[in-house]
């Protein structure tokens, strides 16, 4: 064996593998053969017999590191050269080394041992025994089927009546017969064993092994501890097989037929070895007993005689009394075939005699006869035994005993052995079913029929179903019949069977379905499929029972899916198609379809199964009223599912209903009306062409004097009228007169349905006029005189009719207003809501607005919107009974809070808004509480923005001058303020509402009384927040309101504090010239207060004002420049103006403005004031302000104000050293010279202007490298003029000195009157002036070309005088100048010149002359006069002043309509109407009585349907 040495061990211990070893070496099998893959998966030890435990022990030992004790091996101690793991992997060697192993001590394995111990203690055999890597096959637990059958046969046999102890040959034969199967198995095993050992025995010595018969097996064989793999031929004894058996006794398996006692050991020679081995079989199979041939003949003769006597009736009593039956029982057990034949023949005839048959039953002859039939190979014996058994079953009252004795198995065995006996044996089984009550072990009979279902002939099939039919009549047995699988058997029996057989199958299923307890199992086991298979027959009786069975199965809701999926519905359809005129069957089919259609699920599936064509067939061909009634009910129920509408229409179902509308039976007419109503409920089919036929049929049905039909027709027309395409046809068919006739019935349900239908028809204009003209008076009358339900319905019609403009005046003329006022007093939410709709619609008609006010509708509307209506009736139980629909009830009737409905508030507001449009009625509406109602709605009750918008419109309509004070006193300001608030998310602003609120505030702000109520901060903030609107008109109106508030002293401060400045800023950006002008005027008014100016700065208004200062609109430009001028006047605002870009704007404005001297002058004021800001002077010059000033100067060159402003501006700008160069470059000096020249003629202006001009010249002269440019631009001319003013002496002397520092200017300065001017200035009693003049003298004296001119001008005397000055710089400058002038001396020297020169030279005063004179730019700064802005004050027209003649801004107010309320709420739902048609079902029970639901009412079992049967004649006469 693989895994050990490849040599095979013999029984006697010798080796027979030498030749194989040589062959293996020759064939090189060691390398050519993959030995590892051929190894056995495990090693099995005889001691344990469980390789899984052995493998587990080895693995646990390896994991624990603890070696397995020596008990694992043949001796003590470990084998050398390997560990436990290595021994496990390399266990190759001789079988001799494999000794029996003692049990492994588990304690040595520690925890692993404990695991193995627990495993051994709790081990249970599973379906498969597997260790970690191996799989082992398991011996099946249950024996083979044949063994089970034999065991069952033995259990059914009764004990022998007589028993003998001597071991007679008869008993030995019976025992051998009982163990026939075991004997055959044992003989086969012994033959295989001996055949394989025969070759071995030839080579054994005659004296070996068995010489001494007393030697035990232990001495002959060595202990065999290796694997036993069945090498000796007995494969069942191999260890691989034994390891899977509960026992591990090898010897008991190998030699199970040998005795284990020492006395039974073999004692024969080698020649007797075979006999010793076969001793057991010799004992079991004794060939003959000790009887003689005569004894056999006597028994044969006895048996034949008894068989002959039994044929005659006259011998019956004698045979019964003298024990013929018992004798035959004994003889039949003989092995002789002839004796058995006669015994079988005797049994056959005895069973036909009642007395003898009773004895056969009493002595339990069934097992004996069954054994006789089954053991005989002769078919005649089996046939006689079968006839006997069948005759026994014909006796009444013994069926239970026969079945208990095993007659069912006997008959089944005969049928299995001899197919020709099937029709005979099945009769016996059938006779066992001919009982009137159940008995014990009857299930054996049922099972036999189930087994015969698959292999029976047509005759056998029919007998089987007949027997099952008998059993199905037993009520108590039906659940067991279904449980045993009869339903599945019927499917096989009915397949390809005769018509009569299939009919009986249908009857069986019908009988089983009568019991409600069986239906669930029947459906689950496929009864519906069987019924469908049977439904293909043409036999009407079969179809009737199928329909009867299906209708009973359909009574259970849980069977719905199976009836659909298993083709139960198709079965019904097949029956309807095959026998539509048989009333008894069609009633069942129609009723079954009605039951199925009543289920809430599965309706589309039923239609898909083809039920509609079947129903159409019934409705067209059947004349039975009941069938038609159930068919229509089924169709009605199917039409409740909208997805079925189109299939039913396309398959002709609806047309069949329309055809039956003319039927004379009232129930059918009602069903047709219901079917058409269900069809009208589907939205997808309301525009179908079938309506062309359905609508006239419905109208015709509505004229029948049947309230239920009329109600259904009204509801159908109501649904169909929803589709506008159906209205013309309905009107042409006279639907309005039909409704009028139905309204006359005054039935509450019919009236409500009619009103609902009229509401749907009234949606279309032309039909509405027709309804108003024809049905209007009846509706108004019903609204006034009807009950609560009628009033509700009539109110709905009135509200819808009022939505059409052409009907409003007509309704009022008919008296609708009093009716609506009366309806408005009802304590019903929907009715009050519809009244509000009607009032809103009617008030939208201008011709009836005054009429409504005259009818005092305003208080009624106010009451409709109130949560506590004054007209509401107290809630009582009587009122509650009038409200059948839950949705029509007041949710809290005691509180009457239904008026808080948003829709109700909206409709009331619309009505008041429309009434407010009537000119002349405003005051009366306010007096009647209309304004108060509107305020309550908008502030407390309404939450919708649109409702608030309508309220605001209504209040605006009522806001006339005569009503203003009253409305304000009624909190109009608070209401408008609340409406103007921004709604909380997710709601958005309503632009129309914002505009209306803005208009209200604008009107109030234009009135002194109204304005006094607006100055609250919260209110003003709400007003100014309206600028969030995206509508420019709204923003403009809001700006007007702000302007009104700012234009009056009493509201100005509050408006600014609330944010009016921001509002005006936004208004200025709208692009509306009027708004810009109005806002700029308002800004101008508040620019005079510091706090207001601060608000302007903080609100970032300056950029807007600067932008508008250049507006193309002259008024806007004028106002904005006035504002900027006022802001620039104050130091606190200049910086903000300069940083905002005012100067560039003014520069641009100066260049752009042509001919508008006033704006230019204002611009110059702004620039002049801004130039006082020292930190921005350079920037102003860089922005081109000099050029702008020059442009302005040219426009008004001689204007005194301009002169002042220009001089001030130039003087201020020149204060910045960094700006001087740019000013010179821009021609400031030229402009200044012109200003000086213009001022020279006006001595009054010189005092205020010349100081600024002189200061400007001085500042410009301080700019280096610009002296020549200044002279060229006329600085000397200006200085010459300025020097004439004593106050400017110091300011003139300094620039003259600075200009003389440049050599090129000295020649020009010597010309004109400059020298004379210097001499004049040197006489001023001002040290700085004298010093600057002396320096100028010295600089001019350096020019040789002008010295003569200087002398001529009389400068020498002045120099002589000044050279004696106490001031050193003056003395030095003048001495040097005198020296320079006297250097020529050609024309004579002035007196004193010489003495002065000598004095200076001798005194050393000229030692530092060079140093002093080199400091060119050192000059004495003159005294700069301070700037007095007050001298340049704004004129009065530029100062802010309140205008007493100001007219407040207003807006054009037009009447705003609230529009109509439309058709209002949906029409009232008609009373709840059952959409299903549950026609009463009358299903007969088993007794032919009508039972509800088909439940079997009987308490006792019924009589069998078929009687017991004889054996067939063909079998009686056989042979």
């Amino acid at each position: 064996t693989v895994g050990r040495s490849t040599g095979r061990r013999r029984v006697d211990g010798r080796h027979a593998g030498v030749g194989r070893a040589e062959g293996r070496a020759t064939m090189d099998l060691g390398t050519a053969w993959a030995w590892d893959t051929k190894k056995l998966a495990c090693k099995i030890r005889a001691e344990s017999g469980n390789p899984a435990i052995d493998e587990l022990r080895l693995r646990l030992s390896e994991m624990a590191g603890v070696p397995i004790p020596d008990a694992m091996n043949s001796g003590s101690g470990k084998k050398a050269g390997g560990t436990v793991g290595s021994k496990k992997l390399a266990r190759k060697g001789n079988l001799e080394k494999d000794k029996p192993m003692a049990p492994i001590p588990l304690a040595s394995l520690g925890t692993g041992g404990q695991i193995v111990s627990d495993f051994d203690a709790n081990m249970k055999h599973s379906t498969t025994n597997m260790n970690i890597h191996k799989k082992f096959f398991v011996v099946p637990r249950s024996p083979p089927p044949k063994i089970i059958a034999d065991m069952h046969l033995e259990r059914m046999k009764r004990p022998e009546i007589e028993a003998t102890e001597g071991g007679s040959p008869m008993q030995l034969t019976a025992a051998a017969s009982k163990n026939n199967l075991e004997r055959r198995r044992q003989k086969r095993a012994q033959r295989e064993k001996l055949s394989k050992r025969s070759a071995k025995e030839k080579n054994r010595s005659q004296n070996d092994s068995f010489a001494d018969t007393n030697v035990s097996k232990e001495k002959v064989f060595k202990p065999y501890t290796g694997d036993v793999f069945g090498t000796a031929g007995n494969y069942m004894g191999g260890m691989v097989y034994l390891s899977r058996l509960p026992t591990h006794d090898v010897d008991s398996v190998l030699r199970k037929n040998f005795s284990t006692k020492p006395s039974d050991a073999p004692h024969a020679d080698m020649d007797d070895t075979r006999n010793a081995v076969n001793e057991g079989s010799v004992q079991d199979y004794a060939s003959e007993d000790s009887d003689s041939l005569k004894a056999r003949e006597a028994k044969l003769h006895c048996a034949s005689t008894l068989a002959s006597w039994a044929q005659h009736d006259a011998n019956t009593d004698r045979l019964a009394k003298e024990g013929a039956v018992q004798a035959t029982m004994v003889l039949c057990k003989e092995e002789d075939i002839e004796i058995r034949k006669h015994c079988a023949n005797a049994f056959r005839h005895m069973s036909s005699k009642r007395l003898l048959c009773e004895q056969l039953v009493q002595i339990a002859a069934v097992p004996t006869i069954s054994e006789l039939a089954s053991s005989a190979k002769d078919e005649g014996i089996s046939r006689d035994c079968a006839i006997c058994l069948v005759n026994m079953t014909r006796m009444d009252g013994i069926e239970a005993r026969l079945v208990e004795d095993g007659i069912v198995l006997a008959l089944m065995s005969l049928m299995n052995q001899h197919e020709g006996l099937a029709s005979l044996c099945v009769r016996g089984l059938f006779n066992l079913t001919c009982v009137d009550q159940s008995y014990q072990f009857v299930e054996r009979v049922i099972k036999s029929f189930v087994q015969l279902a698959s292999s029976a002939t047509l005759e056998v099939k029919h007998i089987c179903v007949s027997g099952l039919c008998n059993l199905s009549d037993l009520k108590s047995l039906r659940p067991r019949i279904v449980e045993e699988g009869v339903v599945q058997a019927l499917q096989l029996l009915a397949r390809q069977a005769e018509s009569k057989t299939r009919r009986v199958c249908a009857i069986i299923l019908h009988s089983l379905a009568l019991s409600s307890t069986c239906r669930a199992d029947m459906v689950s086991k496929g009864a519906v499929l069987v019924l469908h298979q049977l439904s293909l027959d043409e036999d009407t009786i079969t179809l009737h029972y199928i329909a009867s069975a299906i209708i009973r199965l359909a009574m259970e809701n849980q069977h719905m899916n199976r009836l659909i999926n298993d083709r139960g519905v198709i079965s019904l359809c097949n029956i309807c198609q095959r026998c539509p005129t048989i009333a008894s069957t069609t009633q069942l089919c129609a009723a079954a379809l009605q039951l199925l259609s009543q289920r809430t699920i599965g309706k589309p599936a039923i239609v898909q199964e083809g039920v509609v064509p079947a129903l159409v067939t019934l409705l067209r061909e059947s004349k039975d009223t009941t069938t038609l009634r159930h068919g229509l009910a089924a169709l009605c129920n199917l039409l409740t599912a909208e997805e079925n509408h189109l299939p039913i229409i396309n398959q002709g179902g609806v047309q069949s209903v329309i055809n039956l509308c003319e039927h004379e039976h009232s129930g059918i007419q009602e069903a047709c009306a219901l079917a058409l109503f269900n069809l009208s409920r589907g939205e997808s089919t309301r525009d179908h062409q079938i309506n062309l036929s359905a609508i006239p049929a419905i109208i015709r049905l509505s004229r029948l004097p049947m309230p239920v039909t009329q109600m259904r027709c009204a509801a159908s027309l109501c649904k169909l009228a929803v589709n506008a395409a159906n209205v013309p046809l309905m009107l042409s068919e006279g639907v309005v007169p039909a409704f009028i006739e139905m309204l006359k019935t005054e039935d509450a349900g019919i009236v409500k349905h009619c009103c609902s239908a009229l509401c749907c028809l009234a949606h279309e204009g032309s039909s509405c006029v027709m309804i108003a003209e024809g049905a209007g008076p009846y509706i108004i009358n019903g609204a006034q005189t009807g009950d609560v339900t009628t009033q509700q319905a009539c109110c709905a019609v009135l509200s819808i009719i009022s939505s059409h403009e052409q009907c409003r005046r007509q309704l009022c003329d008919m008296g609708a207003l009093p009716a609506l006022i009366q309806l408005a007093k009802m304590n019903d939410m929907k009715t009050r809501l519809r009244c509000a709709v009607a009032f809103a619609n009617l008030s939208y008609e201008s011709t009836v607005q005054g009429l409504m006010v005259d009818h005092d509708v305003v208080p009624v509307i106010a009451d409709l919107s109130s949560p506590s209506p004054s007209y509401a009736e107290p809630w009582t139980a009587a009122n509650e009974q009038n409200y059948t629909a839950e949705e029509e009830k007041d949710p809290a009737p005691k509180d009457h809070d239904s008026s808080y409905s948003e829709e109700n508030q909206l409709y009331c507001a619309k009505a008041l808004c429309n009434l407010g449009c009537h000119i002349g009625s405003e005051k009366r509406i306010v007096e009647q509480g209309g304004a108060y109602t509107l305020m309550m709605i908008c502030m407390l009750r309404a939450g919708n923005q649109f409702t608030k918008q309508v309220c605001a419109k209504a209040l605006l309509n009522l806001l006339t001058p005569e009503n203003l004070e009253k409305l304000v006193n009624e909190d109009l300001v608070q209401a408008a303020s609340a409406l103007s608030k921004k709604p909380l998310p997710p709601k958005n602003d309503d632009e129309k509402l914002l505009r209306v609120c803005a208009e209200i505030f604008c009107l109030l702000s234009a009135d002194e009384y109204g304005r006094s109520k607006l100055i609250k901060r919260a209110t003003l903030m709400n007003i100014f927040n309206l600028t969030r609107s995206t509508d420019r008109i709204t923003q403009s109106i809001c700006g007007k309101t702000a302007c009104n508030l700012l234009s009056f002293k009493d509201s100005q401060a509050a408006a600014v504090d609330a944010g009016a400045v921001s509002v005006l800023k936004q208004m200025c950006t709208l692009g509306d010239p009027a708004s810009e002008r109005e806002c700029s005027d308002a800004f101008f008014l508040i620019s005079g207060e510091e706090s207001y100016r601060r608000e302007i700065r903080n609100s970032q208004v300056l950029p807007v004002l600067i932008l508008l200062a250049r507006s193309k609109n002259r008024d806007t430009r004028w106002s904005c420049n006035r504002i900027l001028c006022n802001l620039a006047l104050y130091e606190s605002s200049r910086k903000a103006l300069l940083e905002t870009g005012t100067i560039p704007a003014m520069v641009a404005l100066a260049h752009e403005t042509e001919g508008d001297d006033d704006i230019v002058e204002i611009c110059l004021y702004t620039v002049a004031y801004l130039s006082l800001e020292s930190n921005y002077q350079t920037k102003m010059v860089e922005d081109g302000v000099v050029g702008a000033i020059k442009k302005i100067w040219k426009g008004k060159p001689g204007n005194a104000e301009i002169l002042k402003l220009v001089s001030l501006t130039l003087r201020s700008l020149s204060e910045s050293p960094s700006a001087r160069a740019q000013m010179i470059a821009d021609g400031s000096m030229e402009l200044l010279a012109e200003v000086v020249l213009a001022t020279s003629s006006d001595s009054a202006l010189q005092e205020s202007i010349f100081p600024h001009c002189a200061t400007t010249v001085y500042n410009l002269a301080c700019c280096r490298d610009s002296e020549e440019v200044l002279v060229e631009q006329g600085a000397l001319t200006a200085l010459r003029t300025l020097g004439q003013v004593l106050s400017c002496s110091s300011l003139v002397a300094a620039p003259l000195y600075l200009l003389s520092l440049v050599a090129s200017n000295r020649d020009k300065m010597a010309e004109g009157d400059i020298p004379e001017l210097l001499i004049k200035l040197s006489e001023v009693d001002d040290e700085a002036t004298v010093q600057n003049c002396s320096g100028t003298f010295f600089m001019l004296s350096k020019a040789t070309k002008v010295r003569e001119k200087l002398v001529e001008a009389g400068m020498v005397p002045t120099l002589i005088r000044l050279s004696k000055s106490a001031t050193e710089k003056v003395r030095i400058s003048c001495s040097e100048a005198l020296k320079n002038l006297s250097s020529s001396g050609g024309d004579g020297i002035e007196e004193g010149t010489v003495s002065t020169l000598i004095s200076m030279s001798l005194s050393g005063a000229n030692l530092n002359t060079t140093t002093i004179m080199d400091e060119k730019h050192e000059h004495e700064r003159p005294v700069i006069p301070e700037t007095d802005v007050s001298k340049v004050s704004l004129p009065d027209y530029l100062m802010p002043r309140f205008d007493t003649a100001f007219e407040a801004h207003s807006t054009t107010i037009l009447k705003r309509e609230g529009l109509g309320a439309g058709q209002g709420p949906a029409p009232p739902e008609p009373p709840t109407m059952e959409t299903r048609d549950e026609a009463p079902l009358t299903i007969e029970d088993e007794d032919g009585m009508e039972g509800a639901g088909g439940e079997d009412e009987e308490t006792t079992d019924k009589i069998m349907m078929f009687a017991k049967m004889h054996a067939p004649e063909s079998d009686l006469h056989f042979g």
Side-chain angles (χ1 to χ4, degrees), residues 1409-1435:
T1409 303
T1410 304
T1411 302
I1412 294 173
M1413 294 297 108
D1414 286 341
E1415 298 174 2
K1416 295 181 179 180
H1417 297 288
E1418 290 294 333
H1419 68 280
E1420 290 297 327
R1421 289 183 59 84
V1423 178
I1424 305 298
E1426 295 182 357
T1427 304
D1428 188 5
V1429 183
S1430 61
K1431 294 182 179 182
V1432 193
S1433 61
L1434 291 174

Side-chain angles (χ1 to χ4, degrees), residues 1127-1205:
L1127 295 175
L1129 177 63
Y1130 301 96
E1131 184 179 358
S1132 59
S1133 304
R1134 292 170 188 164
K1135 182 178 179 180
L1137 286 170
L1138 290 167
E1139 290 179 349
T1140 312
T1142 305
I1143 294 302
M1146 296 298 102
V1147 171
L1149 181 63
H1151 290 289
E1152 294 171 356
T1153 305
E1154 295 290 343
D1156 196 342
D1157 297 336
D1158 294 336
I1159 292 178
V1160 170
E1161 183 179 352
I1162 298 173
C1163 177
L1164 186 56
Y1165 271 109
T1166 304
V1167 172
Y1169 293 142
L1170 294 178
S1171 65
L1172 298 175
E1173 192 68 25
S1174 59
N1175 295 331
Y1176 294 88
Q1177 292 165 350
T1178 303
K1179 183 66 172 61
M1180 291 176 65
V1181 174
E1182 292 175 354
D1183 289 340
V1185 71
V1186 176
I1189 297 173
K1190 292 171 66 177
K1191 179 69 169 57
I1192 295 172
W1193 168 255
K1194 292 179 181 179
K1196 297 179 68 174
N1199 185 275
E1201 294 297 325
I1202 298 297
L1203 291 173
K1204 293 179 183 180
L1205 295 174

Side-chain angles (χ1 to χ4, degrees), residues 1018-1094:
T1019 304
L1020 292 175
M1021 291 182 67
N1022 290 331
I1023 295 173
F1024 298 150
N1025 282 336
L1026 291 174
T1027 55
R1028 68 180 181 272
S1029 172
T1030 57
D1031 182 32
R1032 291 197 171 190
I1033 298 177
T1034 304
Q1035 295 175 352
S1036 176
I1037 297 173
C1038 184
K1040 291 180 179 181
T1041 304
C1043 292
N1044 288 340
L1045 295 171
L1046 292 174
S1047 299
F1048 294 93
K1049 187 175 182 179
D1050 56 349
S1051 59
Q1052 187 182 75
V1056 173
D1057 183 60
V1061 174
S1062 299
V1063 176
L1064 296 181
K1065 171 190 172 183
Q1066 184 174 350
M1067 296 306 103
C1068 291
T1069 60
L1070 295 179
D1072 180 26
S1075 298
E1076 293 174 355
R1077 178 183 58 80
E1078 294 166 358
C1079 294
S1080 59
D1081 290 342
F1083 276 128
F1084 175 69
L1085 288 176
I1086 64 174
S1087 62
E1089 293 288 338
E1090 176 59 30
S1091 60
Y1092 302 162
R1093 291 194 296 270
R1094 182 170 55 252

Side-chain angles (χ1 to χ4, degrees), residues 681-706:
R681 294 174 63 244
E683 297 180 1
S684 59
T685 56
R686 288 176 184 168
D687 56 351
H688 198 276
Q689 293 295 325
I690 194 65
N691 293 329
L692 298 177
S693 301
I695 291 175
I698 296 172
I699 294 176
R700 288 194 299 272
L701 288 174
S702 68
R703 295 190 175 98
L704 298 176
M706 294 184 294

Side-chain angles (χ1 to χ4, degrees), residues 876-1046:
T876 61
N879 288 341
E880 186 173 3
Q881 294 176 359
N882 294 327
Y883 298 89
T884 56
E886 184 177 353
E887 64 273 11
E888 293 291 334
K889 287 187 179 181
D890 192 331
K894 293 182 181 180
D895 297 332
H896 302 289
D897 60 352
S898 60
S899 295
Y900 269 120
S901 166
E902 187 68 37
E903 291 181 341
N904 193 40
Q905 301 299 325
L906 174 61
Y907 300 147
C908 292
K910 283 189 172 186
L912 293 175
C913 183
N914 291 331
L915 293 177
C917 295
H918 186 256
I919 300 176
S921 299
E922 297 92 346
K923 184 176 180 179
R924 187 173 181 181
I925 293 173
V926 173
E927 291 174 350
Q928 291 179 351
Y932 176 79
T933 302
L934 291 169
M935 294 178 191
M936 295 300 295
I937 293 174
C938 66
M939 287 193 295
L940 297 178
R941 302 170 186 169
N944 186 273
Q945 292 295 100
F946 183 71
T947 305
K948 295 181 179 182
Q949 176 200 136
V950 176
C951 292
K953 289 180 179 179
L955 291 173
L956 184 60
N957 290 338
L958 299 176
L959 187 58
T960 59
E962 59 181 356
N963 288 336
L964 188 145
E965 184 173 352
K966 184 174 180 60
L967 289 175
V968 170
N969 293 333
E970 290 186 2
D971 289 333
L972 175 62
V973 175
Q974 183 180 355
S977 178
L979 292 173
S980 63
K981 291 182 180 179
K982 183 176 181 63
L984 296 176
K987 294 182 180 179
N988 298 321
D989 281 322
D990 185 350
E991 293 297 331
K992 293 183 178 180
L993 174 61
L994 297 181
R995 178 184 292 189
V996 173
C997 291
E999 291 177 347
I1000 293 175
F1001 287 130
C1002 185
L1003 290 177
L1004 294 177
S1005 66
D1007 183 79
E1008 181 178 1
Y1009 185 79
R1011 192 166 53 250
S1012 64
K1013 301 296 183 180
L1014 294 178
I1015 58 176
K1016 292 183 179 180
R1017 177 177 173 81
T1019 304
L1020 292 175
M1021 291 182 67
N1022 290 331
I1023 295 173
F1024 298 150
N1025 282 336
L1026 291 174
T1027 55
R1028 68 180 181 272
S1029 172
T1030 57
D1031 182 32
R1032 291 197 171 190
I1033 298 177
T1034 304
Q1035 295 175 352
S1036 176
I1037 297 173
C1038 184
K1040 291 180 179 181
T1041 304
C1043 292
N1044 288 340
L1045 295 171
L1046 292 174

Side-chain angles (χ1 to χ4, degrees), residues 31 33 299 376 685 733 742 809 1145 1199 1218 1229 1290 1331 1485 1509 1511 1513:
T31 58
W33 187 274
K299 293 178 182 179
T685 56
E733 292 292 333
M742 287 188 284
R809 184 70 192 186
N1199 185 275
S1218 59
M1229 194 64 242
S1290 177
Q1331 186 175 338
D1485 60 14
M1509 304 175 67
E1513 294 296 330

